[in-house]
C-alpha cells in the first residue's frame, strides 16, 4: 500500500538510474520555470498589464510582506531562498490531486534536502547579519554551559521541519489510497480537498519557519539611519 | 506461539497504541490552542490576521508530535526491522 518512490525507477540517463522522486522534482521545476518565464515575458510599468504579470505581482508582494513581518528586516534578503521554498512546496502539494503524479514532498529525501539547506542557511544568514562574533554569541546565551543544547536545538528544529512536511504529505496520500480501496466513489473527494488545504498550509508553514530560523540572529548594525529594534532570538 | 507470531502481534498492538495515544495528546493540545486563538480573535477582531497566522504556525508545531507518531507507526507496519530480521533468521 505504501509506495516507495525512491526505489521505483523512472528512466536511466547514461546508465545512472533516476527514481520517481527526482523525476517528479524535475517536472515541478520545469513547470515553475515555464510559468515564471510566461509571467515575466513582457513586463510593463503602465496601468495596462497582462494577467500573468498581475498574478505574479500579487504572489511576490504577498510573500514580501509576510517575510517583512516575520523577519523584521528587508525582505529581499530572505525572499530568494524562502520564496523558492514556498512556491516549490506549494506546487508539489497542489499537484498531488493529479492521480499518477508522485509527489516529491511525500519522500523523506526531498524534505531532508530542504531542511539541510535551512541548516546551512542559519550560519550563512547569521554571519551575514551580525558577523562571526555576533553569530557565535547566539550559542552562548544565556550562559556558555547551554551551548550543546543551543546547537542541538538548531539541528532538531530543522529536522522537525523535514519530518513534519514528509509526514503530512505521506498521511494525505495514504488516507486517499485507503479510502479509495474502501469506498471508491465520492467519499475520497472531501479528503482530497482537505489534502489541498493542508498542502498549502504546510508550504506556508515551512516557509515561515524557515524565515524564523534563518533570521534568528537579528542584525545589530543600523542600515540607512534606521535603528533595527529586533533582539528576538527565536 | 512461535517468534513470528509474537513479533507480529506485538507490532500491531504497538502501532495501534502509538497512533492512538499520540494522536489523542496532539488533538487535545491543538484543540486548546485553537480555542484560545478563537477567543482571542473574538476579543480583538482587528488583530484577526496576526492571531490566525500565529495560531496556524503553532498548530503546525503542536502537530509535530502526532506526525512523529504517524511516522513511527508507518515504520512499525511497513518497514519493521525486527520482523525483517526474524524473516531473515527463519529463512536460514
Amino acid at each position: 500500500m505504501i509506495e516507495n518512490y525512491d526505489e521505483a525507477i523512472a528512466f536511466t540517463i547514461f546508465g545512472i538510474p533516476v527514481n520517481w522522486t527526482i523525476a517528479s522534482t524535475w517536472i515541478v521545476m520545469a513547470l515553475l520555470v515555464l510559468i515564471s518565464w510566461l509571467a515575466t515575458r513582457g513586463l510593463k510599468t503602465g496601468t495596462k498589464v497582462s494577467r500573468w504579470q498581475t498574478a505574479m505581482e500579487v504572489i511576490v508582494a504577498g510573500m514580501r510582506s509576510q517575510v517583512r513581518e516575520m523577519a523584521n528586516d528587508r525582505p529581499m534578503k530572505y525572499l530568494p531562498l524562502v520564496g523558492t521554498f514556498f512556491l516549490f512546496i506549494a506546487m508539489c502539494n497542489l499537484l498531488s490531486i493529479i492521480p499518477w503524479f508522485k509527489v516529491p514532498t511525500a519522500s523523506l529525501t526531498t524534505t531532508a534536502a530542504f531542511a539541510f539547506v535551512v541548516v546551512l542557511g542559519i550560519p550563512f544568514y547569521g554571519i551575514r547579519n551580525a558577523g562571526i562574533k555576533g553569530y557565535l554569541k547566539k550559542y552562548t546565551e544565556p550562559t556558555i554551559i547551554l551551548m550543546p543544547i543551543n546547537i542541538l536545538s538548531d539541528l532538531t528544529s530543522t529536522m522537525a521541519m523535514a519530518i513534519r512536511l514528509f509526514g503530512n504529505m505521506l498521511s494525505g496520500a495514504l488516507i486517499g489510497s485507503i479510502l479509495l480501496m474502501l469506498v471508491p466513489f465520492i467519499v475520497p473527494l472531501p479528503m482530497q480537498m482537505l489534502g489541498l488545504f493542508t498542502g498549502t498550509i504546510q508550504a506556508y508553514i515551512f516557509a515561515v519557519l524557515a524565515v524564523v530560523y534563518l533570521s534568528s540572529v537579528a542584525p545589530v548594525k543600523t542600515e540607512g539611519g534606521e535603528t533595527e529594534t529586533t533582539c528576538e532570538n527565536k | 506461539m512461535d517468534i513470528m507470531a509474537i513479533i507480529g502481534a506485538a507490532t500491531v498492538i504497538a502501532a495501534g497504541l502509538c497512533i492512538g495515544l499520540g494522536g489523542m495528546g496532539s488533538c487535545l493540545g491543538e484543540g486548546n490552542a485553537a480555542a484560545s486563538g478563537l477567543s482571542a480573535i473574538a476579543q480583538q477582531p482587528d488583530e484577526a490576521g496576526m492571531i490566525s497566522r500565529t495560531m496556524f504556525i503553532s498548530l503546525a508545531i503542536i502537530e509535530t508530535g502526532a506526525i512523529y507518531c504517524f511516522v513511527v507507526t508507518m515504520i512499525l507496519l511497513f518497514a519493521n526491522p525486527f520482523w525483517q530480521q526474524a524473516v531473515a533468521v527463519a529463512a536460514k
Side-chain angles (χ1 to χ4, degrees), chain A residues 85 108-118 162:
Chain A
F85 273 146
L108 192 54
T109 50
T110 312
T111 56
F114 290 165
F116 189 65
V117 171
V118 177

Side-chain angles (χ1 to χ4, degrees), chain B residues 13-29:
Chain B
I13 293 172
L17 279 178
C18 177
I19 195 69
L21 294 179
M24 190 175 70
S26 179
C27 282
L28 281 175

Side-chain angles (χ1 to χ4, degrees), chain A residues 2 66 69-70 160 163-164 166-168 170-171 174 202 204-205 208, chain B residues 50 53-54 56-57 59-64 67-68 70-71 74 78:
Chain A
I2 187 165
Q66 291 287 332
E69 282 173 27
M70 296 309 296
I163 296 182
R164 181 179 307 128
F166 159 69
N168 269 293
L170 181 70
S171 63
L174 211 62
Q202 287 305 317
Y204 172 71
I205 278 162
V208 163
Chain B
M50 197 215 164
R53 194 177 66 224
T54 322
F56 272 126
I57 298 169
L59 283 185
I61 293 176
I62 298 165
E63 209 183 42
T64 310
I67 294 291
Y68 282 150
F70 171 71
V71 171
M74 287 297 112
F78 296 108

Side-chain angles (χ1 to χ4, degrees), chain A residues 20-57:
Chain A
W20 265 114
T21 310
I22 297 178
S24 42
T25 309
W26 286 348
I27 294 173
V28 175
M29 276 158 62
L31 269 176
L32 278 177
V33 169
L34 182 72
I35 293 173
S36 356
W37 178 74
L38 281 175
T40 57
R41 213 165 25 161
L43 294 182
K44 286 191 244 77
T45 51
T47 47
K48 269 187 79 74
V49 293
S50 63
R51 293 183 199 176
W52 286 98
Q53 186 182 343
T54 313
M56 190 195 64
E57 278 176 2

Side-chain angles (χ1 to χ4, degrees), chain A residues 76-221:
Chain A
M76 282 316 281
K77 205 194 272 178
Y78 305 100
L79 194 64
L81 180 62
V82 172
T84 314
F85 273 146
F86 175 72
L87 288 180
F88 186 85
I89 297 172
M91 190 66 147
C92 289
N93 297 353
L94 290 183
L95 284 182
S96 66
I97 47 163
I98 297 178
W100 47 264
F101 188 73
K102 315 269 191 291
V103 189
T105 43
S107 157
L108 192 54
T109 50
T110 312
T111 56
F114 290 165
F116 189 65
V117 171
V118 177
V119 167
L120 292 184
I122 290 174
F124 176 78
Y125 281 103
I127 292 172
R128 194 175 158 190
N129 276 346
I132 292 182
K133 212 182 243 175
Y135 169 65
L136 291 179
K137 193 163 167 287
K138 171 190 145 189
Y139 290 107
T140 61
E141 279 169 359
T143 62
I144 201 158
I145 306 165
L146 290 178
M147 195 169 73
I149 297 178
N150 279 328
I151 294 173
L152 208 63
S153 95
D154 267 6
L155 292 178
T156 50
S157 53
T158 41
M159 200 181 77
M161 271 164 73
I163 296 182
R164 181 179 307 128
L165 183 58
F166 159 69
N168 269 293
M169 292 338 287
L170 181 70
S171 63
L174 211 62
I175 288 173
S177 59
I178 289 174
L179 277 182
L180 216 58
M181 272 191 327
L182 295 176
V183 200
F185 299 110
I186 312 287
V187 179
L189 202 64
M191 298 312 288
Q192 298 256 310
M193 279 150 66
L194 188 72
L196 285 185
F197 176 69
T198 44
T200 320
I201 292 278
Q202 287 305 317
Y204 172 71
I205 278 162
F206 194 95
V208 163
L209 287 180
V211 174
V212 170
Y213 294 146
L214 291 179
S215 65
S216 60
V217 182
V220 283
K221 286 179 203 148

